[in-house]
Amino acid sequence: MSDKIYGIELETIEKLADIVKEKDLSEITINEMGKVITIKGKKCPPPPPPPPMGGMMPPPPFAVQGGMPPMPFAPGAEVPEQSVVQGTAVPDGNVVKAPIVGTFYAASAPDKPPFVKVGQQVKKGDVLMIIESMKLMNEVQSDFDGTVTEILVKNGDPVEYDQPIMIIK
C-alpha cells in the first residue's frame, strides 16, 4: 500500500518537488478535490530597484561630452571647420533636433505637401514636421527664423531623442 498525503500519492508529490527543483520554480500548488498542497522551492531574489526618479541618465553613445567632439580623424590630422555632432560633420546653422523618440513625418498626411522643403523660408513658430510617438502625432515648431538648408532624415525614418533633423540658416 502506498503512502498518501491528503489523498495524493507521496510518489506524485516527490515528482512534483523534483520538477520545482529542476525548473527552479518558486512554488507549485495542487488543488485536488478541495485539498490544497503547495510545494515551495528556492525563493527568487527580488527584482532590482528601479532607477531613482529625476536621476541622471547615462549619455547616449557617441555623445559629445565636456565640449570635446569624438575623434573621427587620426590624431594630428586637420579637422574641417564644420562642427561635429555625434561623429558626423554638420554644416553651420541652427540645428533642429528631435525633441522625442519616434517616427519623422514631413507632412500631416501621405497625400498632403510637406510642411517645409529645402530652400524654404521659415519663421519661429512655424510647424516643421511631425514626430509620431506611441500613436501620438507631435508637431515640432521652429525655434528659429531662417531658410531650411538641409533635411537630414527621410519621411518615415525613426528618430532618436536629440537627433539632428534639419538645418536652418
Side-chain angles (χ1 to χ4, degrees):
M1 180 171 183
S2 64
D3 293 331
K4 290 187 176 185
I5 299 176
Y6 293 117
I8 300 174
E9 301 263 341
L10 185 58
E11 185 178 315
T12 303
I13 294 171
E14 288 172 347
K15 285 181 182 178
L16 290 171
D18 289 340
I19 291 171
V20 168
K21 184 177 179 182
E22 287 172 18
K23 303 289 183 184
D24 202 23
L25 301 174
S26 59
E27 70 179 47
I28 189 168
T29 301
I30 304 202
N31 186 347
E32 184 70 29
M33 298 168 77
K35 299 192 180 192
V36 178
I37 294 180
T38 300
I39 301 171
K40 294 187 177 191
K42 294 180 190 174
K43 290 193 176 190
C44 295
M53 295 296 288
M56 295 294 293
M57 295 296 291
F62 307 113
V64 176
Q65 295 181 12
M68 292 296 297
M71 295 293 291
F73 307 99
E78 204 168 302
V79 178
E81 290 199 38
Q82 296 174 328
S83 59
V84 177
V85 176
Q86 293 187 357
T88 61
V90 176
D92 290 333
N94 296 308
V95 179
V96 178
K97 296 180 179 182
I100 56 175
V101 173
T103 303
F104 167 82
Y105 292 111
S108 60
D111 60 338
K112 300 285 183 181
F115 292 109
V116 294
K117 296 178 185 174
V118 172
Q120 182 176 336
Q121 289 282 108
V122 295
K123 294 180 183 161
K124 186 175 181 176
D126 287 351
V127 175
L128 301 173
M129 68 191 90
I130 290 177
I131 297 184
E132 176 191 3
S133 180
M134 297 178 63
K135 305 293 183 194
L136 294 175
M137 301 298 179
N138 301 281
E139 288 185 347
V140 178
Q141 298 176 345
S142 177
D143 290 334
F144 317 105
D145 291 335
T147 303
V148 176
T149 59
E150 195 170 356
I151 299 175
L152 305 170
V153 294
K154 295 179 188 142
N155 195 46
D157 279 356
V159 294
E160 295 292 325
Y161 170 74
D162 217 23
Q163 175 182 342
I165 304 293
M166 64 180 66
I167 308 297
I168 299 176
K169 275 191 178 179

